[in-house]
Structures are given as structure tokens and as C-alpha cells.
Amino acid sequence: MKREHEDAGRMGGDDPMNMGPEIAKGKMVPVMRTGDEMECGVDELLAALGYKVRASDMADVAQKLAQLEVAMSSDDASHLPQIAADTVHYDPSDLYAWLDSMLSELNAPPCAQLLPPTATASRGNGHSSTAAKPSAAAPPRASALHDFKPVVSAASVGRVVCDTEQQSEKILSPRDPKRMRTCSSSSSSSSAKEVASSLKSATEALPVVVVDTQETGVRLVHALLASAEAVQQENLKAADALLKQISMLAASQSGPMRKVAGYFAEALARRIYRHSPLPQADRVALDLLHSHFYESAPYLKFAHFTANQAILEAFTGFRQVHVIDFGLKQGMQWPALLQALALRPGGPPSFRLTGIGPPQPDNSDALQEVGWKLSMLAESIGIDFHFRGFVASSLADLEPQMLLEPEGKRRDRDGVEEAVAVNSVMELHQLLARPGAMEKVLGTVRALRPRIVTVVEEEANHNGRTFLERFTEALHYYSSMFDSLENGGDSGADGELEEQQRHRAMADAYLGRQICNVVASEGTDRTERHETLGRWRGRMAQAGFEPVHLGSNAFKQASMLLALYAGGDGFRVEEAEGCLTLGWHTRPLIATSAWRVGPAADFAL
Amino acid sequence: MMMLLLPHREEEEEGGAAGRRRFPINDNADLLAEVLGRLDGRSLAVAGCVCRLWSAVGRREAVWEAVCHRHVAVGRAGAAGGTRSVVAALGGYRRLYRLCIGPALDRLAGVRRQGPAVSSAARHVSLSLALSLFSIDCYERLGGVGGRQQQPPASLLFLCKPVDVS
């Protein structure tokens, strides 16, 4: 069994080895390209072998493989039967998680054998210039080093291959409490290459130095901002150099900061090398990511519940109602509204839903499917339900007559017109990419004469005039966002179900795409043009709408919903001039507002 | 045999008229249902393991309806009949408790243990919130057209307690 594990380790190690020579040229390019292929940034070469490893995790995976190798090959043979008998074997294709599980079970403290680092110099690695410096400062007490590893994660062990050193399998107590990580270079893959070679030679030397994580965190943020500034000044060489530093620093962080840094670094790299942006056309995958984001964080649920409450209140007394949803997606907002309408005093109204969605690449009619599911639900709870789907690549293509025809607004037996509600969850900001589109859409909405318009948008300023402004804002916003995803769950990563972890990985990818769009795209491609609530208020007021205060019911329901999330205290529901915002600690992240057509706009129709 | 016993029992009752009258609960399923309807969810589930009769009675929708109503704050005096049919359509009160109300109450109890920082408004589960979550879950379970493979419903995962396998 030991041999199998070695082989598996070697096989996993082989690919970084193969990728090594190309990447040794020092470009980020191949690493970025693998991110292109799959939504989650899975490494494509390993994927061809059946292992799913994220490109950003490569360094960790390589190190853990080596560590596992050490632990497995240790003289203490009592480990092996235990592994055979007691271990729950996780799916090894998810290499990262599998390694985590194996390592935590073996519970092996990392080796801490100190070695003369002459070996690194002898490796002759092309861009080990940065490596030479740490290795030259070999004495572990040296503190003037760039690369650090926090002592928190036991898995963070660097390796240096030394030809002369004998087998040092035994786990010794660290001679020196400080450890020095000698990761050879910026590119994660080349360090993986080093590790792979160390696997082959089956020797390891592990001097490692640990210093304060916070310091690296601050340095990381500074490096990111400096890189963005360099990009703004068109100083691409400096930006590129800083990017390398960023990857080094990022690898030393853990959790949300590392993910955020990874995504931002990737986006910057795209911008620098002017890669084509992520393909926009893959709607099916986008929908999937969106639904995972729905499951893993309360933001969308909050948005739906508060908007539904506003719509429900606006519909009181009407026997015919019509909801126009600007982004139907999976229709997750509507079952709750249907249920609430079914139970309202006075009985349910006749409900019509018009769902708008983007064109699908494979010509499948996703809208009709969603409509069908909703109609099944509506029928089972006794609501007269009608559905219409509209495919539009941009909201600006819609005309009011299209949405209301064929017979215009329905009238009930007393001649009262149906009540129309327009709902937009994170759809409007995309219109800002094209001049004039926003005004057209708001004009269309006004022409529909809705009883209520519910708008949910990200509470951020990612549409500033300068790149640096946008970058800084986005960095803060997504840091909070990732932090909330990480810590808003139940007792952090350890306690989570596997499924929850999977959802979170997809949710991370969903946010990663947004980050990429904000940072790397420009012009009409840059669709994630988030704006703050204040600006939306101004925009809506200018278009002839007046605000409708979201009542205390909405606030109460939102608070109750958030109380159910284990992260509990971190999430804050706040009310701001009739609008509700949900945020993480002091930072609001998403805002719901409701509007109706103001009196002044009537004459324009 | 039975004939002999019955008079015997009557004699005992008459003799001990001043004392307690024994009333086997299992003789009257409706009474049993009334009693079980006053339990909390966990105890009711445990009670369902006692014997077949208790299991059958413990599964009655009426019993779980009583349990649900006892544990949620009903915001407005909704039409009880209407609620019943909607809940039945969505999957029933027992399922509603199991999927939404139970986990929510557990979660809130856990939060209460951690500290008094939680605002009072948020400390109970409202029926409307529970039903909203329930309807979303029910919607997720509906199959797609042509039976295409659906994702397992996950909208209530956030309420699940992770199993401690240490």
C-alpha cells in the first residue's frame, strides 16, 4: 500500500514536473490559461488524469503530497494498519481535500530538520534568484526574509532538495522554534516542480521560519494596491514584478484573504497580459454558480425575502397581479411569494409571471422549464398561475408593449387593472456598461406603470472613474464578502458538511468571476458596474420614481432569517431611509430598495 | 376467560371507587393524540418509537400541526383552514417541522446558549418564515421537464448541523 501511495504521489507530482519547464520561463501565462478552461480554475493537466486541483492550490497540494510521503514512509509502521482500518477514504480526485484528510488523520507534525541550504544554489533553477537569497540567509534566526509561513497550519512546510543529505525520515522536535520557508520562486508551479523532484529523490530538508501572519497580510494588501497603481500608470513591468510578490505573499495566508488575493492577482494578470476575458457565453455554468452562491450565503435569500415582502404589501387588495422579473434564473424567489399569496387573508389572486432571461447557448428553453416548475407548485397550493418567458440578451431590448401584450393589462371582473410589480435582483448595474441603456430601461419600467419596483443591488462603488479607485473599492468589498462566506457558516471550515464546502467553492468561483470582470475588463465588457445605494437613489429619483419604505415586517423577517445563519452575529441587517441593507460586521454588502412611479412622471406616458 | 376477568375488573373499580380509576391511554387514540400534540418535536419523535400504536398516532398530521403551532409565532391570525391545505400541498406539517422548524429552533437555542447578544426580535421562528423556506425546498424537489437529473435540494443546508465525526 505504501508503494501505491508513493505512486499516486509521484503521479500527482509528475504533472507539475511536466509543466515545470514551460513555466520556468517565469511567465504567469500557462497558469492563467488553466484557469480559463474550467469555471473553478481547475488545473487542466491534472484533470486529464482525473485529479481535480485548483491552479491556485497547486503549491499547497505539492507540499502536502511531499509531507504525506514523509509521514507514510516514516519508520513508525504502526501508522499504516491504522490507515488501512480506520480511515474513511475520501474521493482522491479532489486532491486538495483528500490530502487534507489524510494529513489530519496521520496527525503528523511537520519535519523540522535543518539543513545547509547549499542544495538550492546547486539546483540551478532559472529564476531562483529570489530563492538564493533566503537560502543564503540560512541560519534560521534570520528574520529579514520575504517568505513566511504561519505556524497555524501544520501543513505549511517548505522543502529544499539536498543531494548530500541522508534520509531524514524521523520526525524530530524542531531544534529551533522558527522555521524558514524556502519556496523557490514566485510561480507556484515551479515550487511544485521542486517538490516533485524532492519526492523522487526521497530526501527532504525542512528549515522553515514563521513570522507574524498579520504582517504578511498587510504587505499583501500593499502589494496589491501597488500593483494596481502600476497598472493604472501603464507601468506593466513593475506591475508584473509586484504580481510575483503577491503570489508569494498570498500563498502564506490562509482562508479568505488568500482566496481574495488569488482572484485579484489573477484578474490583474489578465489585465496586464490582455488576455481575453472569461467567456461570457457560458450561461448554464453561470446559472449553476449563481445557484451555489444562493445556497452558501444569505445575501440572495435576504434579497428575495425583502423584495417579496414589499411586493406582497403592494399587492394587497388586488385580485389580478403580474410580476415581471428582470432576471428569472432558477426562479428561486417566487415559491416563497406564491406561498405567501396563497395564505394571505382574502385568498390568493390570479398570478401572472413574466420572466426574462438571456439566450441559452444550447437553445434549451430554460425559462419554460422554470415556468413549468413554478406552475406545478402554484397548482398544488391552489393559485391560478400564468407564465411567460422572454429571451433578451439585454434588458434594453425590451419594450413595454411586449411585456404587457397581447391584451395589455388584464382587468378583473370589477374592471380594476392588474397590479404590476417589476423585480430586479442585481440586474440593473449591467446596463451601465452601455450608454443610454439605463435610461431606456427605466423609461420602459415607468411606462408599465407598476405598483412597485423592487431593486436589489450590491452596495459597492465599483464604477469609479479611475482604475485604482475601482480596484481599491473592490478589494475591500470582496474581502468582506469572502470573509462572511468563510465565517458565516457553522464553526468554520472544520464543521461544514462536504456539500456545504462544495457549494462554497462554487460560490467562491462565482465571486471570482465578478472580481475578474471588475478588474480585468473595460468598456462594454465590464458589466459588473456596482454602485452605491445613494447613487441608485439619485438615479431612480431622476427617472421619476419615488421611494417606498420597506416596512417593519420586512425588517423583522430579514432579521429572523439572519438569526438562523450560524454566523449570526457577523451579519447585520440595517435600515437606511426605508431601504434595507445586509452587511458583514460594519460593511453593508447588499441593499434592497422599493420604488413606485412618482406623480411628476405621469404626464410623460 | 375474558368473561371472568371483566366482572373482576368491575368489582375492583367499584371497590376502589374512592381511589384512582385506571385509564389505559392506548384505548383511546384521540386522547393519545391530544397528549402527544403537547410534546416538543424531539420528544414526539421519540414517542413514535414506543409501539406501533404510538407510532401511527404520532404520525398524524393533526398532532404535528399542533406541535408546529405551539413552537412558532404566528404573526397574524391567518385562516387556519387555508394554511392547512397549503402546508399539506407542500409536504405536510411533520415534514415542515423536520426540515424547517426543528432545525431553526435548534439553531436559535444554540445561539441563545452562546450569549445574550442576539436581538429579541430575532429569537423566535415565525410561521411565515418557516413556510417560505419550506416552499423553496419543495420547489427544489420538483423534478425538471423530461426527468433531467436535478441537483439535490440544498436551500436548507444552512440549517443543518454538521455531524461531529471526531
Side-chain angles (χ1 to χ4, degrees):
Chain A
M1 191 173 83
K2 179 182 157 184
R3 188 161 291 278
E4 282 170 26
H5 279 290
E6 271 184 10
D7 282 345
R10 214 170 277 131
M11 203 160 78
D14 257 346
D15 273 26
M17 188 65 186
N18 291 336
M19 271 170 49
E22 318 176 337
I23 308 224
K25 286 168 196 130
K27 290 196 178 18
M28 297 284 273
V29 172
V31 178
M32 290 308 115
R33 194 183 48 196
T34 59
D36 263 335
E37 308 299 339
M38 298 190 156
E39 286 302 327
C40 320
V42 170
D43 183 85
E44 58 157 343
L45 289 172
L46 281 177
L49 291 166
Y51 290 89
K52 292 194 278 276
V53 180
R54 300 224 322 256
S56 50
D57 287 337
M58 287 293 280
D60 257 13
V61 168
Q63 282 163 356
K64 284 178 186 173
L65 277 169
Q67 206 184 341
L68 191 62
E69 168 78 356
V70 171
M72 296 291 298
S73 59
S74 73
D75 289 344
D76 189 3
S78 64
H79 279 303
L80 295 177
Q82 179 196 5
I83 294 166
D86 298 344
T87 305
V88 174
H89 290 287
Y90 298 92
D91 180 8
S93 67
D94 183 3
L95 209 48
Y96 191 88
W98 182 80
L99 283 168
D100 254 346
S101 69
M102 292 297 286
L103 283 169
S104 57
E105 271 151 14
L106 292 176
N107 210 13
C111 300
Q113 177 92 357
L114 299 179
L115 268 190
T118 51
T120 8
S122 73
R123 283 241 54 105
N125 200 342
H127 53 159
S128 292
S129 52
T130 47
K133 267 189 276 182
S135 52
R141 279 186 189 81
S143 49
L145 291 168
H146 298 299
D147 330 57
F148 309 111
K149 263 264 190 268
V151 77
V152 176
S153 56
S156 49
V157 172
R159 279 151 182 270
V160 167
V161 176
C162 181
D163 299 321
T164 60
E165 192 55 44
Q166 74 273 12
Q167 295 268 349
S168 56
E169 320 280 27
K170 221 39 187 180
I171 292 162
L172 305 169
S173 59
R175 245 190 279 157
D176 194 290
K178 290 199 179 244
R179 293 136 172 273
M180 176 175 78
R181 174 173 162 219
T182 54
C183 180
S184 58
S185 82
S186 61
S187 165
S188 57
S189 316
S190 61
S191 76
K193 171 187 169 193
E194 291 247 304
V195 176
S197 357
S198 80
L199 274 177
K200 297 214 154 173
S201 54
T203 58
E204 56 292 326
L206 313 158
V208 138
V209 168
V210 165
V211 172
D212 190 17
T213 323
Q214 266 195 342
E215 198 187 309
T216 12
V218 168
R219 292 173 78 126
L220 180 55
V221 172
H222 283 186
L224 280 166
L225 292 174
S227 183
E229 199 173 331
V231 167
Q232 170 155 295
Q233 291 159 359
E234 305 278 329
N235 186 355
L236 297 184
K237 285 193 75 176
D240 191 33
L242 281 161
L243 263 186
K244 292 189 178 25
Q245 208 186 4
I246 288 168
S247 333
M248 268 195 300
L249 290 168
S252 72
Q253 295 287 304
S254 58
M257 198 54 216
R258 177 216 244 126
K259 288 184 201 168
V260 169
Y263 282 120
F264 272 93
E266 183 183 333
L268 276 171
R270 274 181 198 276
R271 195 186 178 95
I272 292 171
Y273 293 105
R274 291 186 202 289
H275 271 290
S276 59
L278 292 168
Q280 296 288 343
D282 200 355
R283 294 294 172 178
V284 176
L286 268 181
D287 264 359
L288 188 68
L289 291 183
H290 181 89
S291 61
H292 282 280
F293 182 64
Y294 179 86
E295 313 295 7
S296 56
Y299 300 106
L300 289 180
K301 280 203 185 78
F302 164 83
H304 292 174
F305 280 29
T306 45
N308 282 347
Q309 190 64 32
I311 296 174
L312 189 66
E313 285 167 9
F315 278 174
T316 43
F318 283 88
R319 279 194 285 264
Q320 308 226 347
V321 300
H322 182 181
V323 172
I324 298 172
D325 189 357
F326 275 174
L328 185 64
K329 301 209 169 74
Q330 294 298 309
M332 299 292 281
Q333 182 171 354
W334 308 117
L337 182 65
L338 286 172
Q339 167 271 124
L341 285 172
L343 290 177
R344 74 172 188 177
S350 165
F351 186 91
R352 187 159 101 172
L353 176 66
T354 301
I356 296 164
Q360 299 288 323
D362 55 348
N363 281 335
S364 66
D365 203 347
L367 291 173
Q368 281 305 316
E369 270 198 50
V370 172
W372 184 82
K373 274 174 73 170
L374 284 169
S375 74
M376 282 220 314
L377 181 76
E379 192 184 321
S380 70
I381 57 179
I383 295 186
D384 176 34
F385 181 85
H386 308 267
F387 178 80
R388 199 126 143 268
F390 259 105
V391 173
S393 51
S394 161
L395 290 174
D397 299 337
L398 297 169
E399 300 289 336
Q401 304 88 301
M402 289 159 54
L403 293 171
L404 291 180
E405 72 180 13
E407 66 267 18
K409 285 195 181 175
R410 300 180 294 165
R411 287 173 185 277
D412 69 7
R413 57 176 182 269
D414 295 332
V416 175
E417 268 190 348
E418 67 179 2
V420 174
V422 177
N423 180 73
S424 152
V425 175
M426 312 212 284
E427 294 289 335
L428 286 186
H429 62 257
Q430 298 174 20
L431 296 170
L432 294 171
R434 252 175 260 267
M438 176 63 84
E439 288 74 22
K440 175 151 192 294
V441 169
L442 288 180
T444 308
V445 171
R446 217 171 46 225
L448 295 168
R449 280 175 297 127
R451 287 276 303 174
I452 192 151
V453 180
T454 46
V455 174
V456 178
E457 285 292 329
E458 289 97 337
E459 173 67 4
N461 182 13
H462 297 160
N463 203 16
R465 268 182 316 127
T466 63
F467 172 73
L468 186 59
E469 206 181 314
R470 295 197 295 270
F471 187 90
T472 319
E473 283 288 317
L475 189 57
H476 289 126
Y477 178 83
Y478 286 103
S479 299
S480 294
M481 184 63 100
F482 271 93
D483 197 29
S484 75
L485 281 180
E486 181 87 16
N487 299 315
D490 205 346
S491 68
D494 304 324
E496 274 184 330
L497 303 170
E498 250 185 67
E499 226 183 309
Q500 275 174 325
Q501 281 179 335
R502 226 186 348 253
H503 285 300
R504 208 145 51 80
M506 302 285 246
D508 292 345
Y510 174 80
L511 292 171
R513 287 186 71 98
Q514 283 190 357
I515 292 173
C516 217
N517 191 283
V518 173
V519 172
S521 315
E522 277 304 329
T524 50
D525 282 335
R526 182 160 65 86
T527 53
E528 299 293 338
R529 293 181 184 244
H530 308 148
E531 289 198 339
T532 56
L533 183 57
R535 291 196 62 153
W536 285 113
R537 278 210 195 100
R539 212 180 282 280
M540 295 297 279
Q542 214 177 18
F545 292 96
E546 61 181 26
V548 173
H549 280 226
L550 296 167
S552 58
N553 275 337
F555 184 85
K556 266 187 254 177
Q557 222 191 25
S559 309
M560 278 192 282
L561 173 69
L562 266 309
L564 295 179
Y565 275 84
D569 284 350
F571 290 111
R572 292 273 144 83
V573 177
E574 268 153 16
E575 191 257 349
E577 291 172 44
C579 306
L580 289 179
T581 61
L582 173 62
W584 177 250
H585 291 126
T586 52
R587 167 82 210 227
L589 294 173
I590 192 170
T592 309
S593 55
W595 307 86
R596 61 166 168 247
V597 179
D602 276 338
F603 73 88
L605 304 169
Chain B
M1 195 65 142
M2 287 299 281
M3 294 297 290
L4 282 173
L5 276 173
L6 278 170
H8 190 72
R9 217 190 299 154
E10 276 170 21
E11 275 176 353
E12 268 194 45
E13 280 181 21
E14 281 165 7
R20 267 182 311 123
R21 281 182 63 167
R22 270 180 280 160
F23 190 91
I25 192 72
N26 287 353
D27 282 353
N28 192 331
D30 292 331
L31 202 56
L32 180 62
E34 271 298 310
V35 172
L36 291 179
R38 280 162 168 74
L39 294 172
D40 66 288
R42 193 161 267 118
S43 310
L44 180 53
V46 168
C49 303
V50 168
C51 66
R52 270 197 292 245
L53 174 66
W54 282 41
S55 172
V57 173
R59 273 168 206 273
R60 285 192 193 174
E61 274 298 292
V63 171
W64 283 99
E65 181 179 348
V67 173
C68 286
H69 280 291
R70 221 174 284 282
H71 285 96
V72 298
V74 180
R76 49 175 202 281
T83 313
R84 209 171 276 146
S85 62
V86 169
V87 174
L90 292 174
Y93 279 100
R94 184 159 170 260
R95 198 183 168 83
L96 171 64
Y97 192 91
R98 180 169 64 87
L99 289 177
C100 300
I101 298 180
L105 289 172
D106 286 344
R107 182 57 62 80
L108 289 178
V111 169
R112 254 191 292 259
R113 263 201 300 276
Q114 280 168 18
V118 183
S119 71
S120 59
R123 272 211 211 124
H124 48 266
V125 184
S126 80
L127 187 62
S128 63
L129 180 65
L131 284 174
S132 300
L133 294 171
F134 194 42
S135 60
I136 296 172
D137 181 72
C138 175
Y139 173 72
E140 279 189 303
R141 287 170 198 273
L142 290 174
V145 180
R148 216 162 35 145
Q149 187 179 18
Q150 294 286 318
Q151 303 240 329
S155 66
L156 294 177
L157 262 188
F158 74 99
L159 284 174
C160 290
K161 248 198 304 208
V163 178
D164 190 4
V165 291
S166 58

